[in-house]
Amino acid sequence: MTDQLPKSRQLGYVIAISQVGLEMVVPIGLGVALDVWLGTLPWISVVGVLLGFFGGMTHLMVLVSHMDKTEKSEPPPREPQ
C-alpha cells in the first residue's frame, strides 16, 4: 500500500460529489421539519424531495459535463521511457 496523497483534482471531484449529495438531502430534511412544525405532513416533504432530486441531478449533469470537457482538453499522459 502506498502513502500517496490524493491529487487536488481528485479531491475536488470528491467534494463536488459530496455537495451534490447534500443538495439532495437538505431539502428533504427541511421539508420534513417544516411539515412537522406546520402540521402539513407530507406536502412540503414531497416538494422537498422533488426539489432535492431535480436540483441534485441538474448539478450532477453540469459536473459530469465539466469533467468531460476538462479531460478532453488535457493532453494524454506520457508513457515512462
Side-chain angles (χ1 to χ4, degrees):
M1 183 183 298
T2 63
D3 293 330
Q4 188 177 20
L5 294 174
K7 295 179 182 177
S8 62
R9 177 168 288 158
Q10 292 171 339
L11 189 57
Y13 290 155
V14 170
I15 291 171
I17 296 294
S18 301
Q19 183 180 2
V20 170
L22 282 175
E23 288 174 353
M24 294 176 119
V25 172
V26 169
I28 297 169
L30 288 174
V32 170
L34 283 173
D35 271 337
V36 169
W37 184 50
L38 297 173
T40 58
L41 208 62
W43 302 111
I44 300 176
S45 299
V46 171
V47 171
V49 167
L50 294 175
L51 285 175
F53 178 75
F54 289 116
M57 285 296 138
T58 301
H59 188 191
L60 189 61
M61 287 189 288
V62 169
L63 181 65
V64 169
S65 173
H66 176 70
M67 287 171 50
D68 190 39
K69 286 179 186 176
T70 304
E71 289 178 5
K72 284 183 180 178
S73 67
E74 290 180 352
R78 289 199 269 168
E79 295 181 17
Q81 295 179 357

